[in-house]
Each structure stands twice: as structure tokens, then as C-alpha cells.
Amino acid sequence: MGIVINQSIKNVVITYIGFGIGAINSLFMYPHFLGEKYYGLTGYILSSANVIFPLMAFGVHNTLIKFFSQYKSEQEKSQFLSFVLALPFLAIIPILIFGFIGYDWIATFLSRKNDVYNYVWQIPVIAICMGYFEIFYAWVKVHLQSVFGNFIKEIGLRILISIFLFAVYFQYITVDEFITATMYVYLVSTLIMLFYANKVKKIVFDFKLPENYKSILVYSSFIILSGSVANMLLDLDKTMLNQYMVINNIAYYSVAIFIATVIAVPSRAMHQITYPITAKLMIDGKHDELNDLYKKTSITLQIVGGLVFLGILVNINQMYLLLQENYRGGVFVVFVIGLSKYFDLILGNNNAIIFNSKYYRAVLFLGLFLAFFAVTLNMIFIPKYGINGAAIATLISITLYSIAKLLFVVLRMKLFPFTYKTLISFLVLIVLFFMFYFWEFSFHPIINIVLKSTLVTIVYVLINYKLKLSEDFNNVVNSILKRFR
């Protein structure tokens, strides 16, 4: 776990810095510089692109990680990389042709409630950029170099967005031009990732088909849909809000979602490095080591993610006092989406295990069913309960999908992430929530947040450290304490 912890810590720091910049963008600059309408429009475009990007990538970013360790010679690796870089065009070309021919019908349908006609074309362009970014990122991850790619994804991209937001504020560009500039930001980040991937390990093209190209095609075809399911469950709600509510509501919902998504940062950071390690352990058939990694990632993510979750919940009312009044109806959304993120968090490297196992097809079909289930739930709940309904639909869908994946790993692969420590960690979270949630200082909201967060962090870390629930968590705390001695 040494390299996992080392790069995970770096990734956590980078990701939280990125989320700090994102917080400034999402909670203050977007609402004040763009306004509700264009903030909602930006959220709609990016969420829609995120829903379809696994299709544009043809699942290759997962395929690359799964199969890379099977190749021994440099020639075989070059043939494999060349093949997977070309695969996405099997989806991109027909989608672009269909989109070009049917643009009027598609854009008109998506503009039933809100006028997004002139912006729909940007969705597939951004999705292609997202897809190839992840492919080049996967190339550096299989070489166990995840930090720089994470920096570009979490910090670099958001800094560029901030620059263009300031450009809107100082009237160098219009809000319409900002929407287009966002598309170019994703293009630039993809090109930077390409150059870095080539620097880590030179990309040499060899267009001879790999010997196992049929297996690659089959896996990619299934994993496309699997990745699409996961993304649908995350971003489908914002996409569907456009069909039922004024687009301003996507802005309100985006703020709440952003706050709740911070809970998933430790998971995102750790998965950058545990994914290729999981793939290697499964290829080598090291079941016991895999089970050990599964348990360690689960409890470590539960503790670290639990601290973030707790910090958000006990400060949520003060956070919303800092926002414009129209945005203050999202507290319920934060609680509900946060809960779904927390449950997904404690599953550790569950996704990496499934995507690299022979059972990925079965889980995929179940995921497709739940994706359609999610669409139905959103169609029912959004008209009745608005953005709260979208949050409820997302919670139900993600929870069912997570339970399904957990059961497959437990029953089929005899791997289990939980121990008695899981329950203890959860009880610590519950007790501290009730201790601090109803306790408010009579100061300015920012001072209140800083004071309460400091107290919660000290108490939470001390309790978990003394209980020795996670060896990796304690090692990190010890390394930090040594620097202050």
C-alpha cells in the first residue's frame, strides 16, 4: 500500500485544492458573473457531455488498464495502444454523422422547456475531449504516474474556467462566448494530457492488430455501457431537469451537488492509483492480497470521506447563508446526495474489482436496468418535488446499483470489504453529527464554519486514531505529527 498511500495523499491534496477552486467558481463566480440562466446552461451542457463521454471513449480508458499488464514486449504494448486509440472512432463517426443530419430534431426536442438549441452541438465535442483525456490519463496510470493527470483534471481545468469567468466579469467576453470557451478549455486539457502521456512513455503507433483483439472488442463493448450507466446515475438528474423545469433550477441543483460531491474526493484520489494495482493483482490471481486491499481501501475511505461528510453536514446551514437567497433551497439535496456518495465511498475499490473480473457483463445488465429505473424515477419525482425529487431519484438509483455491485463481489468472488471497524466508524460519525449539528456560534458564517470544522476535525481524527480503525489512516497521522515535533 506504500505507493497507493503516497500517490493517494498527493492526489487528495491536489483534488481538494481543485475543489477549493471549484468551490469559488461554483458557489460564487458562476452565480454572480454568469447569473442563474447561464450557470444552469453550463451545468446542463457539461452534465450531458459527461453522460455520453464513455460512449465517445468506447470504454477504452478502462480497457487499457485491464489489458495492459498482459503484454510483455514493447511491440505488443504499441500494437495494443494503437488499437485502443482507434476504437473510439467506431462510436464517434456514426454519432457525429447522426448528430449533423438530425441536429434540428435533436436540438428542438431538448429545447422543449428551455432554449438550448444553439448549444447542443457542443455536448458531443466536449464528450470527445473528456473521453480522450481519460484514455491518455489511463496510459499514465498504468505506468503508476497518476499525479500530474489529476492536477490537470482537478486544478488546471478549473483555473482556466476561472480565467474565463473573470473575462466575463471584466466584459472581455460575453456569457455566450464563455459557454464556447468552456468547450476549448476541455480541448486544451486533453492536448496537455496527450503531451504528458507521450512524455511518461512514448506513444509509438503500430497498427497491427493485437492477438487478443476480439477479447478487447468484447470487453470494450460491454464496458462502454457499464461506464455510461455509472455516469448516467451521476449526471442524469441535471440533464432531465432541463426537460421539466426552468433552467435556473439546474444552477440551484448544481450548487448542492457540488457541495455533496466533495465527499467523493478521497475516493477519486485513491482510485487513480488502486485501479491499475487491482487489475494487476487479479491478473496474477492474488486473491488474499486483493481481499486485503479491498478491506483497507474501504475503511480508509470511510474514515477520510466520513470526516468530509460530517464537516459538510454540520456546517451546511452556515454555508447556505453565504449564498444568494435563490440558491438556499438545496440543503435537502446535499443531505440526500451526500448520503449516496458516502455509501458508494465505503465500497472501496469495488468498481475496479468488478470491471477487471469475468462478472462485469452480468453487473452491466443490472446496471442498464437501474439506469432505465433512474430515468423513470426522475420522470415521476421531478414534476412532483422539483430538485428534491431529482435528488431522491438519484439516491435510490445509486444505492441500488451499489448494493448490486457489492453483492456480486461478495457472493461470486468471495471478497468482503467490511469488518467490525466499519460499524464502529459509522457510529462515530452518527454520534459526532448529533453533537455538532445543532450547535451554532453567534458569529459570522465563515467564522462559524472555521471554528466548528476545526473542532470536528480534532475530535473526529483523535477518536479514529485512538481506536486504530485504519492502519493507513494512522500512518498518515503519524507522519504529519512527526513533522511538527
Side-chain angles (χ1 to χ4, degrees), residues 9 58 117 126 141 147-148 152 163-164 196 206 227 250 271 282 321 360 407 425 427 443 450 458 467-468 477-478 480:
I9 292 172
F58 208 78
Y117 188 95
I126 294 175
K141 281 194 283 188
V147 176
F148 181 78
I152 295 299
I163 292 171
F164 284 111
Y196 180 71
D206 185 342
I250 299 180
H271 289 341
M282 296 187 73
L321 289 177
Y360 67 89
L407 289 176
S425 179
L427 290 174
F443 307 119
V450 172
I458 293 173
L467 291 174
K468 297 180 180 180
V477 174
N478 287 331
I480 294 173

Short mmCIF file of all heavy atoms in Angstrom, two decimals, residues 9 58 117 126 141 147-148 152 163-164 196 206 227 250 271 282 321 360 407 425 427 443 450 458 467-468 477-478 480:
data_model
loop_
_atom_site.label_atom_id
_atom_site.label_comp_id
_atom_site.label_asym_id
_atom_site.label_seq_id
_atom_site.Cartn_x
_atom_site.Cartn_y
_atom_site.Cartn_z
N ILE A 9 -2.22 10.41 -1.25
CA ILE A 9 -2.12 11.64 -0.47
C ILE A 9 -1.93 12.84 -1.40
O ILE A 9 -2.58 13.87 -1.26
CB ILE A 9 -0.97 11.55 0.55
CG1 ILE A 9 -1.30 10.52 1.64
CG2 ILE A 9 -0.70 12.91 1.18
CD1 ILE A 9 -0.14 10.24 2.56
N PHE A 58 -15.49 4.84 -26.04
CA PHE A 58 -15.67 3.42 -26.37
C PHE A 58 -15.17 2.52 -25.24
O PHE A 58 -14.76 1.38 -25.47
CB PHE A 58 -14.94 3.09 -27.68
CG PHE A 58 -15.58 1.94 -28.44
CD1 PHE A 58 -16.73 2.15 -29.18
CD2 PHE A 58 -15.04 0.67 -28.39
CE1 PHE A 58 -17.33 1.10 -29.87
CE2 PHE A 58 -15.63 -0.38 -29.06
CZ PHE A 58 -16.78 -0.16 -29.81
N TYR A 117 -31.03 25.34 -28.03
CA TYR A 117 -30.87 24.93 -29.43
C TYR A 117 -29.45 25.19 -29.95
O TYR A 117 -28.83 24.33 -30.58
CB TYR A 117 -31.89 25.66 -30.30
CG TYR A 117 -31.94 25.18 -31.75
CD1 TYR A 117 -32.86 24.21 -32.15
CD2 TYR A 117 -31.05 25.68 -32.70
CE1 TYR A 117 -32.90 23.77 -33.46
CE2 TYR A 117 -31.08 25.24 -34.01
CZ TYR A 117 -32.01 24.28 -34.38
OH TYR A 117 -32.04 23.84 -35.68
N ILE A 126 -17.39 18.29 -26.36
CA ILE A 126 -16.83 18.20 -25.01
C ILE A 126 -16.71 16.74 -24.58
O ILE A 126 -15.72 16.34 -23.94
CB ILE A 126 -17.69 18.99 -24.01
CG1 ILE A 126 -17.64 20.49 -24.32
CG2 ILE A 126 -17.22 18.75 -22.57
CD1 ILE A 126 -18.55 21.34 -23.47
N LYS A 141 -1.60 6.18 -15.92
CA LYS A 141 -1.93 5.45 -14.69
C LYS A 141 -1.37 4.03 -14.71
O LYS A 141 -0.95 3.51 -13.67
CB LYS A 141 -3.45 5.43 -14.48
CG LYS A 141 -4.00 6.73 -13.91
CD LYS A 141 -5.41 6.59 -13.38
CE LYS A 141 -6.42 6.57 -14.50
NZ LYS A 141 -7.82 6.64 -13.98
N VAL A 147 -0.37 11.50 -10.70
CA VAL A 147 -0.48 12.79 -10.02
C VAL A 147 -0.68 13.95 -10.99
O VAL A 147 -1.56 14.79 -10.81
CB VAL A 147 0.74 13.04 -9.12
CG1 VAL A 147 0.68 14.43 -8.49
CG2 VAL A 147 0.81 11.98 -8.02
N PHE A 148 0.16 14.03 -12.05
CA PHE A 148 0.07 15.17 -12.96
C PHE A 148 -1.28 15.20 -13.68
O PHE A 148 -1.89 16.26 -13.84
CB PHE A 148 1.20 15.14 -13.99
CG PHE A 148 1.16 16.31 -14.95
CD1 PHE A 148 1.62 17.55 -14.56
CD2 PHE A 148 0.64 16.16 -16.23
CE1 PHE A 148 1.59 18.63 -15.43
CE2 PHE A 148 0.59 17.23 -17.12
CZ PHE A 148 1.07 18.47 -16.71
N ILE A 152 -4.06 18.27 -13.73
CA ILE A 152 -4.70 18.90 -14.89
C ILE A 152 -6.22 18.81 -14.77
O ILE A 152 -6.94 19.78 -15.02
CB ILE A 152 -4.24 18.23 -16.20
CG1 ILE A 152 -2.75 18.46 -16.41
CG2 ILE A 152 -5.04 18.75 -17.39
CD1 ILE A 152 -2.37 19.93 -16.54
N ILE A 163 -10.33 31.85 -15.18
CA ILE A 163 -9.84 32.93 -16.03
C ILE A 163 -10.94 33.45 -16.94
O ILE A 163 -11.13 34.67 -17.08
CB ILE A 163 -8.62 32.45 -16.85
CG1 ILE A 163 -7.43 32.20 -15.92
CG2 ILE A 163 -8.26 33.47 -17.93
CD1 ILE A 163 -6.25 31.53 -16.60
N PHE A 164 -11.69 32.54 -17.54
CA PHE A 164 -12.76 32.97 -18.44
C PHE A 164 -13.94 33.58 -17.68
O PHE A 164 -14.63 34.45 -18.21
CB PHE A 164 -13.21 31.80 -19.31
CG PHE A 164 -12.26 31.46 -20.42
CD1 PHE A 164 -11.54 30.29 -20.42
CD2 PHE A 164 -12.07 32.35 -21.47
CE1 PHE A 164 -10.64 30.00 -21.43
CE2 PHE A 164 -11.19 32.07 -22.50
CZ PHE A 164 -10.46 30.89 -22.48
N TYR A 196 1.77 14.93 -22.09
CA TYR A 196 2.34 14.34 -20.88
C TYR A 196 2.38 12.82 -20.98
O TYR A 196 3.36 12.19 -20.56
CB TYR A 196 1.54 14.76 -19.64
CG TYR A 196 2.09 14.18 -18.37
CD1 TYR A 196 3.30 14.64 -17.85
CD2 TYR A 196 1.44 13.16 -17.69
CE1 TYR A 196 3.84 14.10 -16.68
CE2 TYR A 196 1.96 12.61 -16.53
CZ TYR A 196 3.16 13.09 -16.03
OH TYR A 196 3.69 12.54 -14.89
N ASP A 206 1.68 1.29 -33.94
CA ASP A 206 1.89 0.04 -34.68
C ASP A 206 0.51 -0.53 -34.92
O ASP A 206 -0.13 -1.06 -34.01
CB ASP A 206 2.75 -0.93 -33.87
CG ASP A 206 3.09 -2.19 -34.65
OD1 ASP A 206 2.40 -2.49 -35.65
OD2 ASP A 206 4.04 -2.89 -34.26
N GLY A 227 -19.80 1.98 -18.11
CA GLY A 227 -19.39 3.34 -17.78
C GLY A 227 -20.50 4.33 -17.99
O GLY A 227 -20.67 5.29 -17.21
N ILE A 250 -31.36 24.22 -12.55
CA ILE A 250 -30.14 23.43 -12.68
C ILE A 250 -28.99 24.13 -11.96
O ILE A 250 -28.11 23.48 -11.38
CB ILE A 250 -29.79 23.20 -14.17
CG1 ILE A 250 -30.92 22.43 -14.87
CG2 ILE A 250 -28.48 22.43 -14.30
CD1 ILE A 250 -30.67 22.16 -16.33
N HIS A 271 -8.58 6.02 -6.12
CA HIS A 271 -8.86 5.13 -7.25
C HIS A 271 -7.91 5.37 -8.42
O HIS A 271 -7.72 4.48 -9.26
CB HIS A 271 -10.30 5.29 -7.73
CG HIS A 271 -11.30 4.72 -6.78
ND1 HIS A 271 -10.96 3.79 -5.82
CD2 HIS A 271 -12.64 4.93 -6.63
CE1 HIS A 271 -12.05 3.46 -5.11
NE2 HIS A 271 -13.07 4.15 -5.59
N MET A 282 -5.45 -9.07 -9.87
CA MET A 282 -6.42 -10.02 -10.41
C MET A 282 -5.82 -10.85 -11.53
O MET A 282 -6.10 -12.05 -11.65
CB MET A 282 -7.67 -9.27 -10.88
CG MET A 282 -8.42 -8.57 -9.75
SD MET A 282 -9.99 -7.84 -10.23
CE MET A 282 -10.99 -9.31 -10.44
N LEU A 321 -25.98 30.31 4.07
CA LEU A 321 -26.15 31.72 4.40
C LEU A 321 -25.21 32.61 3.59
O LEU A 321 -25.44 33.81 3.43
CB LEU A 321 -25.91 31.96 5.90
CG LEU A 321 -26.98 31.41 6.86
CD1 LEU A 321 -26.57 31.65 8.31
CD2 LEU A 321 -28.35 32.05 6.58
N TYR A 360 -18.22 -8.75 -15.10
CA TYR A 360 -18.61 -7.38 -15.46
C TYR A 360 -19.84 -7.35 -16.35
O TYR A 360 -20.61 -6.39 -16.32
CB TYR A 360 -17.43 -6.67 -16.13
CG TYR A 360 -17.03 -7.20 -17.48
CD1 TYR A 360 -17.60 -6.71 -18.65
CD2 TYR A 360 -16.06 -8.19 -17.59
CE1 TYR A 360 -17.23 -7.19 -19.88
CE2 TYR A 360 -15.68 -8.67 -18.83
CZ TYR A 360 -16.27 -8.17 -19.97
OH TYR A 360 -15.90 -8.66 -21.20
N LEU A 407 -22.93 -7.10 -3.76
CA LEU A 407 -23.37 -8.49 -3.66
C LEU A 407 -22.64 -9.38 -4.66
O LEU A 407 -22.30 -10.53 -4.36
CB LEU A 407 -24.88 -8.59 -3.88
CG LEU A 407 -25.75 -8.02 -2.75
CD1 LEU A 407 -27.23 -8.08 -3.13
CD2 LEU A 407 -25.50 -8.78 -1.45
N SER A 425 -16.84 2.90 12.88
CA SER A 425 -16.61 4.16 12.18
C SER A 425 -17.93 4.88 11.90
O SER A 425 -18.03 6.11 12.04
CB SER A 425 -15.85 3.92 10.88
OG SER A 425 -15.64 5.13 10.17
N LEU A 427 -20.74 4.55 13.62
CA LEU A 427 -21.29 5.03 14.90
C LEU A 427 -20.60 6.31 15.36
O LEU A 427 -21.24 7.23 15.89
CB LEU A 427 -21.14 3.95 15.97
CG LEU A 427 -22.03 2.71 15.80
CD1 LEU A 427 -21.68 1.66 16.85
CD2 LEU A 427 -23.51 3.08 15.89
N PHE A 443 -21.46 34.00 15.48
CA PHE A 443 -20.54 34.84 14.74
C PHE A 443 -20.93 34.86 13.26
O PHE A 443 -21.95 34.31 12.85
CB PHE A 443 -19.10 34.34 14.89
CG PHE A 443 -18.67 34.17 16.33
CD1 PHE A 443 -18.29 32.92 16.81
CD2 PHE A 443 -18.64 35.25 17.20
CE1 PHE A 443 -17.90 32.76 18.13
CE2 PHE A 443 -18.25 35.10 18.52
CZ PHE A 443 -17.88 33.85 18.98
N VAL A 450 -15.29 27.85 10.20
CA VAL A 450 -13.89 27.57 10.55
C VAL A 450 -13.79 26.97 11.95
O VAL A 450 -13.10 25.97 12.18
CB VAL A 450 -13.04 28.85 10.45
CG1 VAL A 450 -11.63 28.61 11.01
CG2 VAL A 450 -12.95 29.32 9.00
N ILE A 458 -10.59 17.85 14.91
CA ILE A 458 -9.75 17.41 16.03
C ILE A 458 -10.38 16.22 16.75
O ILE A 458 -9.73 15.19 16.99
CB ILE A 458 -9.52 18.57 17.02
CG1 ILE A 458 -8.65 19.65 16.36
CG2 ILE A 458 -8.85 18.06 18.30
CD1 ILE A 458 -8.51 20.91 17.19
N LEU A 467 -8.83 4.65 18.24
CA LEU A 467 -9.49 3.36 18.03
C LEU A 467 -8.72 2.46 17.06
O LEU A 467 -9.03 1.28 16.93
CB LEU A 467 -10.92 3.60 17.49
CG LEU A 467 -11.92 4.21 18.48
CD1 LEU A 467 -13.24 4.51 17.78
CD2 LEU A 467 -12.15 3.29 19.67
N LYS A 468 -7.75 3.05 16.33
CA LYS A 468 -6.91 2.31 15.38
C LYS A 468 -7.75 1.53 14.36
O LYS A 468 -7.54 0.33 14.13
CB LYS A 468 -5.99 1.35 16.14
CG LYS A 468 -5.01 2.04 17.07
CD LYS A 468 -4.11 1.04 17.79
CE LYS A 468 -3.14 1.78 18.72
NZ LYS A 468 -2.25 0.84 19.45
N VAL A 477 -1.44 10.09 9.88
CA VAL A 477 -1.47 10.99 11.03
C VAL A 477 -0.10 11.02 11.71
O VAL A 477 0.41 12.09 12.08
CB VAL A 477 -2.56 10.55 12.04
CG1 VAL A 477 -2.47 11.40 13.31
CG2 VAL A 477 -3.94 10.68 11.42
N ASN A 478 0.52 9.85 11.85
CA ASN A 478 1.85 9.79 12.49
C ASN A 478 2.89 10.56 11.69
O ASN A 478 3.74 11.26 12.26
CB ASN A 478 2.30 8.33 12.64
CG ASN A 478 1.55 7.60 13.74
OD1 ASN A 478 1.12 8.21 14.71
ND2 ASN A 478 1.39 6.30 13.59
N ILE A 480 2.36 13.09 9.78
CA ILE A 480 2.09 14.52 9.94
C ILE A 480 2.60 15.01 11.29
O ILE A 480 3.21 16.08 11.39
CB ILE A 480 0.58 14.82 9.80
CG1 ILE A 480 0.13 14.51 8.37
CG2 ILE A 480 0.27 16.26 10.16
CD1 ILE A 480 -1.37 14.61 8.17
#
